[in-house]
Structure formats: C-alpha cells, structure tokens
Amino acid sequence: MNTVKAIYPGSFDPVTNGHLDLIARAAKIFDHLVVAILRNAAKSPPLFTVEERVAMLSEGTAQFENVSVSTFDGLLVDFAHEQKAHAVVRGIRAISDYEYELQMALMNRRLSPELETIFLMPDAQYSFVSSRLVKDVFRLGGSVDGLVPKFVVERMKARGRF
Ligand code: PNS
C-alpha cells in the first residue's frame, strides 16, 4: 500500500495555536506528517533553541499518531527527498502570505519538480496569529493566552521579559 508523506517546515519560534490547527488538518489528509524545524535560520536570534522548539512541538502534537517532529539544515527539498516525502504543507492566513509562499513553492518546484506544495488555511480565528506577533505582544506585557498552547505561555513566562 502506498503511504503519502508530507513535511510541514517552519521556524516554530514558538509553535502557535495556528500551527497546531494546521497540523491537525494536515494529519487528516496525509498518512504521515513530519513537522520540520529549520536549524540554520538566517533570522535574528530565536527566542527558543531548536531543542526547546522540538520539545514544545512534540508536546503539542502528542495526540496525533501519524505526526512526528524533526529538524533540518540546508535545503528543504533535500530534506524532503531524504524523508521520501511527497508534499510540503504550508499555511496561508491571508493574501499577504501568498506572495512569499508562492515564491518559495515555485523555487522548491524548480529544485524538485516532483515535490508538491499544498497550502492549507488555518481556522479564521488564527488568521492574525504569528510567532513574531506573539513574541512582540508578550515582550510588551500583553496577554497571549489562547494564541499559543498553555505550556508555551509557561515557557515564555519562565523566560521572563526577553
Ligand atoms: O516559518 P517560516 O520561518 O516562514 O519557514 C520558512 C522555511 C523554513 C519553510 C523556509 O525558510 C525554508 O524552507 N528554508 C530552508 C532553506 C531552503 O530550502 N530555501 C529555499 C526554498 S525557497
């Protein structure tokens, strides 16, 4: 029997309820979903280490038997090939996400024509939620309850006002 495997790549710094909503949707479609955290991001220093992000994602996805958490370096298409994945899943919250996502999807297609990118929409209640805004709001003393899982709030509180 053919099993269809997908990769859901990202920074997940930290994982939000929007990410988890997307994971739940993708887990229903694919036989196996690998949530993959980029190790060598060029972005400004992350709030959480890759290991902390793996721990949080593992906790957040523990109820899904067909979801695993992994990390990768270098090109996404190389990791997808190593994993023998058929597709990449990315979330689109609003039209503003589309341009960047389309660019990445087409670049990945150029690098690996067999690998499809599938866009999924999170629930509308998460359409404004991003890891970057969650960090900003928290840093400035606002509540992020309901936007990220409780265990992420706890870890952010333990980190203090970074
Ligand atoms: O959650 P993010 O930060 O928007 O995720 C971006 C990510 C990790 C999916 C993207 O930066 C990526 O795939 N990086 C790996 C390097 C790569 O393959 N670059 C070329 C593809 S355009």
Side-chain angles (χ1 to χ4, degrees), residues 136-151:
D136 266 8
V137 168
F138 181 81
R139 191 168 49 83
L140 298 169
S143 167
V144 295
D145 290 350
L147 306 181
V148 292
K150 280 204 174 70
F151 56 82

Side-chain angles (χ1 to χ4, degrees), residues 8-13 19 36-43 72-79 88-90 93 100-101 103-109 111 131:
Y8 178 32
S11 307
F12 305 104
D13 184 40
H19 292 132
I37 304 168
L38 177 64
R39 281 194 167 272
N40 57 348
K43 287 185 185 174
F72 74 106
D73 260 326
L75 285 176
L76 174 62
V77 293
D78 290 341
F79 178 70
V88 169
V89 173
R90 290 285 288 174
R93 291 162 296 192
Y100 169 61
E101 294 299 333
Q103 222 180 350
M104 278 206 300
L106 294 180
M107 180 61 82
N108 284 333
R109 177 176 285 167
L111 294 168
S131 300

Side-chain angles (χ1 to χ4, degrees), residues 36-162:
I37 304 168
L38 177 64
R39 281 194 167 272
N40 57 348
K43 287 185 185 174
S44 47
L47 174 58
F48 291 107
T49 65
V50 170
E51 287 64 35
E52 288 171 313
R53 283 178 269 160
V54 169
M56 287 185 279
L57 270 165
S58 300
E59 191 167 346
T61 60
Q63 75 267 37
F64 303 109
E65 278 181 6
N66 61 338
V67 176
S68 59
V69 179
S70 190
T71 66
F72 74 106
D73 260 326
L75 285 176
L76 174 62
V77 293
D78 290 341
F79 178 70
H81 190 244
E82 257 170 50
Q83 292 284 316
K84 299 186 170 45
H86 306 86
V88 169
V89 173
R90 290 285 288 174
I92 297 221
R93 291 162 296 192
I95 271 294
S96 48
D97 283 338
Y98 182 71
E99 225 170 304
Y100 169 61
E101 294 299 333
L102 177 69
Q103 222 180 350
M104 278 206 300
L106 294 180
M107 180 61 82
N108 284 333
R109 177 176 285 167
R110 184 176 187 277
L111 294 168
S112 179
E114 296 303 307
L115 185 68
E116 292 297 343
T117 297
I118 311 283
F119 294 137
L120 293 179
M121 291 155 292
D123 192 288
Q125 66 174 310
Y126 303 123
S127 58
F128 63 95
V129 179
S130 70
S131 300
R132 185 178 58 80
L133 279 187
V134 162
K135 283 183 282 192
D136 266 8
V137 168
F138 181 81
R139 191 168 49 83
L140 298 169
S143 167
V144 295
D145 290 350
L147 306 181
V148 292
K150 280 204 174 70
F151 56 82
V152 172
V153 179
E154 293 311 315
R155 279 188 188 248
M156 290 177 87
K157 283 185 178 153
R159 188 56 44 102
R161 296 263 171 257
F162 44 87

